[in-house]
Amino acid sequence: MPARIMIAMLVALLIPLVACTQEADSELSEVIPQQAIPSEEMPWESNEDAGLEALEQGQYLEAEELLLAALKQAEKFGDQDTRLVTSLNNLANLYRAQGKHSEVEPLLQRALAIYEKTLGPEHPYVALGLENYAAFLREMDRNAEADKLEERAQAIWAIAR
């Protein structure tokens, strides 16, 4: 299969994850208080939006530059700010699309750790983070690890229902 088709298929798979992350971020902001955004920090949202648009268009270098800038800005907001989790997940999705697998895992781990710390280990957003991480592990043929994460996510969903 040509690489261009494989990349297009991968991007098609990632777009729902990006949408899910954005929806979760919106709902999460109701649970975790978000600081007021001073005008000098407004570029975070612009960088995220432009980075996601570049990702969807396959402009990976531009997307990386924008999403890294957004992550740098989000780092300043603190570990409990939902924008940091969003930036970590979006950058991880970009690196997945680029095949930069060694860079994906630390981002997913950090996003999951923030969810666990801020929301508790049995929150549905933790389950989403576990499922996202498990999907990546499956891509890497690390099925035993993925199984454990998926089992934990299923247990969280069973409690949440």
Side-chain angles (χ1 to χ4, degrees):
M1 181 178 301
R4 185 174 55 192
I5 293 173
M6 289 180 65
I7 290 171
M9 290 172 53
L10 183 57
V11 169
L13 291 172
L14 292 176
I15 290 172
L17 289 175
V18 171
C20 179
T21 300
Q22 290 172 332
E23 181 179 316
D25 179 53
S26 174
E27 293 176 16
L28 187 59
S29 65
E30 297 172 12
V31 178
I32 300 175
Q34 226 176 23
Q35 302 167 358
I37 304 172
S39 59
E40 67 270 10
E41 294 178 355
M42 287 301 290
W44 174 85
E45 187 172 359
S46 298
N47 284 329
E48 279 291 317
D49 291 345
L52 291 174
E53 185 175 326
L55 171 60
E56 289 174 9
Q57 295 174 357
Q59 299 170 348
Y60 297 140
L61 292 178
E62 181 182 353
E64 183 173 23
E65 180 181 320
L66 291 162
L67 293 175
L68 282 171
L71 177 60
K72 184 177 179 180
Q73 292 165 329
E75 296 277 1
K76 296 176 186 175
F77 304 144
D79 277 349
Q80 294 192 5
D81 193 286
T82 59
R83 292 170 287 186
L84 180 56
V85 175
T86 298
S87 291
L88 291 166
N89 281 320
N90 288 338
L91 189 58
N93 286 334
L94 168 67
Y95 289 152
R96 283 169 90 168
Q98 290 179 299
K100 294 182 177 181
H101 302 126
S102 64
E103 297 182 42
V104 173
E105 191 165 13
L107 296 170
L108 294 177
Q109 289 172 335
R110 185 168 175 212
L112 180 59
I114 291 170
Y115 277 147
E116 290 175 325
K117 179 181 176 184
T118 57
L119 300 173
E122 296 179 352
H123 194 280
Y125 292 131
V126 172
L128 289 173
L130 289 165
E131 290 171 345
N132 193 26
Y133 188 11
F136 168 73
L137 292 174
R138 290 219 183 275
E139 292 170 14
M140 300 297 98
D141 290 324
R142 293 166 56 187
N143 294 320
E145 293 172 80
D147 288 343
K148 290 178 184 177
L149 295 179
E150 289 171 345
E151 287 174 18
R152 186 169 162 221
Q154 289 173 0
I156 293 170
W157 289 121
I159 293 169
R161 294 181 186 142

